[in-house]
Amino acid sequence: MLFTVIAWITGVSALMAFCYKLPAARRSGNDPALVALCVYFLASGLSFVVDLEPFRTVLSDVLHYPNITTVLSQAAVIVLTAAQQVALVHWAGPPDKAHAESRRRIHVCSAALIVVVTVFFLLAPLKHYESARTVSVMYQTEPHYAIHMGLYVSLCAAGQIEALRLSLRFVGLAQRSWLRRGMIVMSVGASLVLLYCGCRLATLAGRGIGLDMDAFDPVGWLSGDLGSLLQIVGWTLPAWGVHLSAAHQWPAQYRDHRRLRPLWYAVSEAVPAITLDPPPFRRRGPLPPRDIGYCLYRAVIEIRDGQLALRPYADTEAVRRRAEALHLTVEPGSPTGEALLLHTALQARRTGPPAPPTSSAAFPHTPHDDFAKEVARLSAVARAFVQVEARARRYGPARHGTASGRGARLVR
């Protein structure tokens, strides 16, 4: 029962991955790596599905050859072995060399496929409506079938060794973290498939000399099925792993966006030209209508652009007077100091053209290549800005502000 469940999960997952990747392969203009990946997923799915009920019985009846699904499954495994090597070769090497390497591997695997299929029909294993798993267990004592099974497993082992070597080499070359993780998972899967091959060969050899090898059967099949499933997970991990990262980052990004929103709203209301999208109607509202990471990035950029636009209104003497009016003790360069500077500049802009400042001030900033630190700094400024607004409402309008209209909106 367990093996059947794993086989269904692996087969369906592989076919779903094939359907997902096929449009991308068609759009890419027949990119060899993507085409090979699609072939891998299709062959991997078929290698499991054709030997499951009810497909096994239907195929045997349609083709008039009981147990035909055994060789169909084995043929699909050889095809997927070639396909994964072709994909890895194209990812890890220059195009000219990759094409030559791919052709060589395709030729070798094609010859192996012909040999395995020919040996299967020539040796004519006993014909029963049995799965590949049951047949390999029941007939491992049959000399003819043992030859066929030994040849097939040896070819699979050789292919997986090469796939493991290529995937481990690609781990060191991969630049994207999820691609590297995917290759690691794929390598673990290939190692488990190699364990399956070792168990099958040990079982064949042991039963050939009369030893009881039943204990190897569950280990072999479980390692083979899980290894195949892990390989599919490894190949698809770069596609859906980024969504895991986005889901992991979403709470923190949403929290930061909510913290920045009052500050961004005030700046974008005063300087509407900085906003790429229309400003929100409310400072605190529902979820952003677009990607939260994009919204956070735009908020940071537009706050910085707003600060640049407000530089002519930044006056340290006005800030000092404003701090006295609000009963604030401000340290230079602190979040409260920057928030008060911004608050004062916003009030000055709303009163009219900038007057020559008594002593000009500059807004602090973080290097643009450290986005996380900039978000943290602006979040602290936004919290301080909300507190400054609260004190402004408590102690009344700024001396240089207005008591009515648009200019009073910030300090009421």
Side-chain angles (χ1 to χ4, degrees), residues 268-279:
S268 61
E269 186 184 39
V271 192
I274 65 173
T275 58
L276 184 63
D277 298 319

Side-chain angles (χ1 to χ4, degrees), residues 135-146 203-204 206-208 210-211:
V135 169
S136 64
V137 172
M138 289 177 60
Y139 303 136
Q140 282 168 346
T141 54
E142 295 290 331
H144 290 171
Y145 190 80
T203 301
L204 288 170
R207 285 181 175 164
L211 296 178

Side-chain angles (χ1 to χ4, degrees), residues 98-374:
H99 284 297
E101 284 288 316
S102 297
R103 285 193 297 269
R104 184 177 66 83
R105 294 168 192 277
I106 290 173
H107 292 157
V108 171
C109 290
S110 298
L113 176 61
I114 293 172
V115 170
V116 167
V117 173
T118 302
V119 170
F120 177 85
F121 286 106
L122 286 179
L123 298 181
L126 298 178
K127 300 176 182 180
H128 290 279
Y129 288 95
E130 302 287 352
S131 67
R133 177 177 294 107
T134 306
V135 169
S136 64
V137 172
M138 289 177 60
Y139 303 136
Q140 282 168 346
T141 54
E142 295 290 331
H144 290 171
Y145 190 80
I147 294 174
H148 164 77
M149 191 65 180
L151 175 63
Y152 162 72
V153 173
S154 298
L155 291 172
C156 286
Q160 288 302 314
I161 290 173
E162 184 63 11
L164 178 60
R165 184 186 70 84
L166 290 171
S167 61
L168 289 176
R169 186 177 74 177
F170 191 72
V171 167
L173 300 175
Q175 299 296 321
R176 293 182 295 160
S177 60
W178 281 110
L179 182 57
R180 184 167 56 252
R181 293 168 187 167
M183 289 298 98
I184 293 174
V185 173
M186 192 275 210
S187 301
V188 174
S191 301
L192 287 176
V193 175
L194 281 174
L195 177 59
Y196 157 80
C197 295
C199 289
R200 291 276 69 82
L201 291 174
T203 301
L204 288 170
R207 285 181 175 164
I209 59 176
L211 296 178
D212 183 6
M213 306 298 291
D214 291 342
F216 282 89
D217 291 331
V219 176
W221 286 115
L222 186 61
S223 61
D225 289 352
L226 289 180
S228 299
L229 181 59
L230 283 178
Q231 285 187 317
I232 294 170
V233 171
W235 282 113
T236 57
L237 192 57
W240 54 268
V242 292
H243 298 292
L244 291 180
S245 295
H248 177 73
Q249 296 170 359
W250 191 93
Q253 290 177 335
Y254 178 67
R255 177 202 64 205
D256 292 335
H257 185 271
R258 294 280 293 182
R259 289 175 177 173
L260 291 179
R261 189 164 179 172
L263 180 61
W264 175 76
Y265 186 94
V267 173
S268 61
E269 186 184 39
V271 192
I274 65 173
T275 58
L276 184 63
D277 298 319
F281 294 105
R282 294 177 296 176
R283 297 192 183 194
R284 297 186 181 275
L287 291 174
R290 302 184 65 171
D291 173 64
I292 188 65
Y294 167 82
C295 291
L296 178 62
Y297 177 79
R298 288 303 314 169
V300 170
I301 296 300
E302 289 168 6
I303 289 172
R304 294 287 295 123
D305 290 345
Q307 288 177 330
L308 291 175
L310 292 169
R311 284 176 64 182
Y313 302 89
D315 188 339
T316 54
E317 182 59 27
V319 171
R320 184 189 64 78
R321 295 194 304 268
R322 186 67 176 142
E324 292 177 356
L326 298 181
H327 305 286
L328 281 173
T329 301
V330 180
E331 296 181 8
S334 66
T336 302
E338 184 175 353
L340 188 60
L341 176 62
L342 185 59
H343 189 273
T344 306
L346 286 169
Q347 291 292 328
R349 179 183 174 88
R350 285 167 178 154
T351 60
T358 305
S359 54
S360 60
F363 291 99
H365 69 281
T366 304
H368 291 291
D369 59 350
D370 199 335
F371 184 74
K373 286 186 177 180
E374 181 75 346

Side-chain angles (χ1 to χ4, degrees), residues 23-85:
R26 296 179 64 179
R27 290 193 302 268
S28 67
N30 294 327
D31 178 6
L34 274 178
V35 172
L37 202 55
C38 287
V39 172
Y40 167 79
F41 287 134
L42 179 61
S44 183
L46 292 177
S47 69
F48 283 91
V49 170
V50 297
D51 206 45
L52 292 169
E53 290 289 357
F55 305 105
R56 179 175 65 246
T57 303
V58 171
L59 285 171
S60 298
D61 290 340
V62 169
L63 299 176
H64 304 290
Y65 197 100
N67 197 38
I68 189 65
T69 57
T70 298
V71 72
L72 291 178
S73 179
Q74 293 173 351
V77 169
I78 295 176
V79 171
L80 70 88
T81 300
Q84 64 182 357
Q85 291 184 31

